[in-house]
Amino acid sequence: MANLKEIRNRISSVGSTMQITSAMKMVSAAKLKKAQDAITAMRPYSEKLTELLQNLSATLDADTGSKYSDQREANKILVVAITSNRGLAGAFNTNIIKEARSLAANTYAGKQVDFMTLGKKGNDILKKSGTILENNNGIFDDLSFENTSEIAEKLMNLFSEGKYDRIILVYNHFKNAAIQLVMTEQLLPIMPPKPIEGQEAKTTETFYIFEPSKEEIVEALIPKSLKTQLFKALRDSVASEHGARMTAMHKATDNAKELRDSLKLQYNKARQAAITNEILEIVGGAEALAG
């Protein structure tokens, strides 16, 4: 019967785990809807602003001199790794950490590569193998454009002052609840627009009239666009986190249910065998007394 008691304890334990994972799945599903609506509404604005930024950057001459589009040799690189503060989200954080390490070990091998981590999980792992310039866990406690702007301004200053030649964002792009794509996106310097294959590159002068002047647009539009780009990456990451956690907890709940059913079957078989043995012992004892 000691074996039966052990199985009962395991069934109870698995049942408790299943309740927890099911609750976490429902919480993530509720948060996912809000985060998904936020990133879906923001993407068209962000993409159009980035397009305008790239076209504007392409028209700036050396005299106009956008300090954010200065293409220098990439000797000092800052990788901004966006993870989460909590785990239990499948490979959500692991994929970002792998990509950040791959950039340091392969893409920019032999260069100075430092990390800025937004999220506790990335900081906990990357600090063991690299230099963490700064870690910000609190950004996700109150994610807003104002809070994001402070981080973006630090990154812009680091680039404009020449402390880093390239700043790369690594984050999860939200596709749907089950799929998150790891994105490696260059924040600085500003990338020129990519020409459409089969078409000659066109200057923006044909399409845009600058009012009041390019210089003033550089001072206002470019910083705003860079802040928006970082804010979109953070919102993408938040939506991806909830989607990844919801999927992971759904799978964990299903696995717990299968294990619980298997343990119940094992328990019933063991209980049936124990009852059968007791009956045989009683019958055997009765026959012995009768004989």
Side-chain angles (χ1 to χ4, degrees):
M1 296 301 291
N3 187 37
L4 290 176
K5 184 177 180 181
E6 180 183 342
I7 296 174
R8 281 199 304 269
N9 290 338
R10 289 190 64 192
I11 292 173
S12 176
S13 176
V14 171
S16 298
T17 301
M18 188 171 67
Q19 289 179 341
I20 294 171
T21 56
S22 180
M24 291 182 67
K25 172 191 169 184
M26 289 188 289
V27 169
S28 292
K31 291 182 177 180
L32 173 63
K33 181 64 171 66
K34 182 178 179 181
Q36 184 177 354
D37 291 344
I39 187 59
T40 302
M42 184 180 180
R43 272 180 187 160
Y45 171 78
S46 175
E47 290 170 359
K48 188 62 179 178
L49 191 58
T50 300
E51 178 188 338
L52 287 171
L53 171 64
Q54 291 178 338
N55 287 326
L56 173 61
S57 176
T59 67
L60 297 175
D61 52 30
D63 294 332
T64 307
S66 171
K67 57 185 177 181
Y68 302 123
S69 58
D70 184 15
Q71 303 290 333
R72 303 190 291 259
E73 184 179 354
N75 292 318
K76 295 177 288 184
I77 295 91
L78 179 64
V79 176
V80 182
I82 303 176
T83 58
S84 67
N85 290 334
R86 298 185 299 147
L88 297 177
F92 174 83
N93 293 309
T94 304
N95 289 338
I96 296 298
I97 293 168
K98 283 182 179 179
E99 181 63 21
R101 283 177 165 173
S102 176
L103 287 172
N106 302 319
T107 308
Y108 298 109
K111 310 291 186 180
Q112 176 189 332
V113 180
D114 297 335
F115 300 105
M116 175 183 283
T117 55
L118 304 180
K120 182 177 182 296
K121 291 300 178 180
N123 179 66
D124 291 346
I125 303 300
L126 290 174
K127 69 180 181 182
K128 298 176 182 178
S129 58
T131 301
I132 304 295
L133 177 70
E134 183 179 332
N135 174 50
N136 192 325
N137 299 335
I139 185 67
F140 295 110
D141 297 334
D142 183 20
L143 182 59
S144 64
F145 185 78
E146 289 73 20
N147 293 337
T148 304
S149 296
E150 295 178 7
I151 299 174
E153 286 172 1
K154 290 180 183 178
L155 294 173
M156 288 187 280
N157 290 335
L158 288 170
F159 178 80
S160 62
E161 292 169 4
K163 294 181 179 178
Y164 290 98
D165 303 314
R166 192 163 295 174
I167 297 179
I168 309 293
L169 299 180
V170 181
Y171 65 96
N172 280 292
H173 169 76
F174 177 81
K175 186 173 182 180
N176 56 49
I179 301 175
Q180 299 82 39
L181 305 175
V182 176
M183 299 293 291
T184 302
E185 193 173 277
Q186 182 169 308
L187 181 69
L188 289 166
I190 300 166
M191 295 290 291
K194 295 180 180 179
I196 301 174
E197 188 176 351
Q199 296 183 9
E200 294 183 1
K202 298 180 180 179
T203 62
T204 5
E205 298 288 349
T206 310
F207 300 98
Y208 298 106
I209 298 175
F210 299 104
E211 179 66 32
S213 68
K214 290 182 181 180
E215 290 79 3
E216 293 185 57
I217 292 175
V218 167
E219 293 176 1
L221 179 61
I222 290 182
K224 182 178 181 180
S225 178
L226 293 171
K227 293 173 184 178
T228 302
Q229 186 178 352
L230 179 59
F231 188 44
K232 181 186 74 69
L234 287 167
R235 275 193 164 176
D236 241 336
S237 182
V238 169
S240 297
E241 177 190 353
H242 293 314
R245 183 169 290 111
M246 186 185 75
T247 302
M249 292 301 99
H250 175 73
K251 292 179 179 178
T253 302
D254 288 346
N255 291 339
K257 186 176 183 300
E258 290 180 9
L259 180 57
R260 184 192 62 180
D261 292 344
S262 175
L263 287 171
K264 282 184 176 180
L265 180 61
Q266 183 181 346
Y267 174 80
N268 290 333
K269 287 181 178 179
R271 184 168 175 271
Q272 185 177 19
I275 293 172
T276 302
N277 287 335
E278 289 179 0
I279 292 174
L280 290 175
E281 289 173 0
I282 293 171
V283 171
E287 290 181 351
L289 290 174

